[in-house]
Amino acid sequence: MSETAEKLTRIRTYLTAKKLDGIILTSRANFAWLSGGGDNHVVSQSEKGVGALVVTPKQTLVVSNRIEIDRLANEEPLRGFTPKSFPWVQPLSEALPKVLTGKKFLADDAAASGYPELGSDFVPSVRASLTEAEIRRYKALGRDCAVTLETVARHLQKGDSEHQVEADIARHLLARGIQPYVVLVAFDQRVEKYRHPVPTANHLRTHALLVVCGQRGGLIANLTRCVHFGPISPVLLAKHEASCKVEAALWDATVPGTTWGDALQAGIAMYQTVGHAKEWELHHQGGPTGYSGRDLIVTPDETQKIQDKQAVAWNPSITGTKSEDTFITDGDKKVVITASLPDWPTLTIKLPKGGTYVRPAILVR
């Protein structure tokens, strides 16, 4: 069974369970997911797409205005999807009722489509578990993102501005066909002050934190690396090791069938064990990823369950440092797709009642 055929089977099972006539997928994330890496965007900074995929029990359609329909039909992996176009002066919400037969449709964007919104169960029940083809593409994306970030990190120079480094990261990503979904760069005092450090004109003196969320074929790989010029203070070293221990506890608890809330509680408990009990309150800890930066931001009371073959990116931080990589669940194993290159320094974390995890250390330049 092809990737898209497998996903159509999942969707049609969902239609039957919900007694629907069909679903309408317009977001870039869902378009890429169903098509196996297709792209319906024009505006790079928007998560909204310019074409819709429609699935009914018997039909698959791609619907877009006359500006976009030929490119989508000819250049995107939409074999088996019948193209339907409408005048560009019409919004999608006016065109869809003329194309669709049946009344019970749900959509991932109610405003754009004019149909009621899909429930929050769609992602965990239909989209979350990756196919083997997706996992192969994800591994290649993760490797390319790790190569990009660690290459830039090794070429940092004192005096570089955060904007310069942001540009270097983006250049390497784009050259590999990867969209810079998120690029964060912080130097020195900004590492201490901000959890989401959007790059500025600040210049590097000693300490750098680099973050990439890179998107290709809809999939998003997330990772963080830290660099330090000269000897690292024992305080910073201890904080980084503590962050890695929290991440290891989160990874260890990320087992299919466990709730996301229970996994997060394991990380919160480790924050307390390492002497930084309140740090988890200063930034979200991440959670499931894939076709979104995070499919949900996990909170302690989250009851959704972790799926097998689901992408995950936890990002624990303790003021001044952070640890983050993307992995895919495989039973009780973790397939790390953004693993460091062999020459990057690492820390080995052995949990008292769990597994052993190798995490990126701070690179000393």
Side-chain angles (χ1 to χ4, degrees), residues 28-29 31-41 75-78 217-218:
R28 291 172 64 179
F31 189 99
W33 168 75
L34 179 54
S35 63
D39 190 353
N40 67 337
H41 96 277
E75 294 190 343
E76 301 306 327
L78 294 173

Side-chain angles (χ1 to χ4, degrees), residues 182-356:
V182 174
V183 176
L184 303 176
V185 181
F187 297 154
D188 302 299
Q189 77 279 4
R190 294 190 74 240
V191 182
E192 299 279 337
K193 293 172 69 174
Y194 306 117
R195 269 2 192 228
H196 283 157
V198 175
T200 70
N202 184 40
H203 290 266
L204 174 61
R205 297 194 304 274
T206 303
H207 185 39
L209 180 143
L210 311 178
V211 180
V212 159
C213 302
Q215 182 182 55
R216 185 169 64 196
L219 292 163
I220 300 173
N222 313 271
L223 67 158
T224 296
R225 297 291 184 267
C226 297
V227 181
H228 198 278
F229 285 77
I232 307 173
S233 74
V235 172
L236 181 57
L237 280 173
K239 284 184 176 181
H240 189 74
E241 183 173 359
S243 291
C244 292
K245 287 180 178 179
V246 173
E247 191 180 26
L250 289 164
W251 283 31
D252 209 60
T254 305
V255 178
T258 302
T259 69
W260 287 105
D262 284 345
L264 177 58
Q265 292 287 3
I268 292 172
M270 183 58 78
Y271 270 109
Q272 184 167 5
T273 298
V274 297
H276 297 278
K278 296 293 185 179
E279 287 278 335
W280 77 273
E281 299 176 6
L282 302 179
H283 187 227
H284 74 74
Q285 303 300 297
T289 185
Y291 288 88
S292 297
R294 298 293 187 273
D295 282 327
L296 63 89
I297 300 298
V298 179
T299 58
D301 58 354
E302 178 56 59
T303 59
Q304 281 191 30
K305 291 187 176 180
I306 299 163
Q307 305 298 310
D308 198 25
K309 303 298 191 292
Q310 186 166 17
V312 184
W314 296 108
N315 50 256
S317 60
I318 294 171
T319 301
T321 189
K322 177 183 173 186
S323 189
E324 177 185 24
D325 270 309
T326 303
F327 66 88
I328 299 168
T329 59
D330 184 9
D332 60 354
K333 296 183 292 185
K334 282 79 183 170
V335 179
V336 185
I337 66 165
T338 55
S340 293
L341 304 183
D343 59 349
W344 192 272
T346 59
L347 292 171
T348 299
I349 306 298
K350 176 69 173 75
L351 297 175
K353 297 181 180 179
T356 299

Side-chain angles (χ1 to χ4, degrees), residues 144-212:
D144 285 351
C145 286
V147 167
T148 289
L149 197 60
E150 294 183 4
T151 297
V152 172
R154 287 194 174 279
H155 286 85
L156 287 177
Q157 297 294 328
K158 289 185 178 183
D160 286 347
S161 77
E162 292 168 359
H163 284 319
Q164 284 176 292
V165 175
E166 176 189 26
D168 284 345
I169 292 170
R171 176 174 63 86
H172 281 278
L173 291 174
L174 290 167
R176 290 170 169 82
I178 302 169
Q179 291 291 317
Y181 188 82
V182 174
V183 176
L184 303 176
V185 181
F187 297 154
D188 302 299
Q189 77 279 4
R190 294 190 74 240
V191 182
E192 299 279 337
K193 293 172 69 174
Y194 306 117
R195 269 2 192 228
H196 283 157
V198 175
T200 70
N202 184 40
H203 290 266
L204 174 61
R205 297 194 304 274
T206 303
H207 185 39
L209 180 143
L210 311 178
V211 180
V212 159

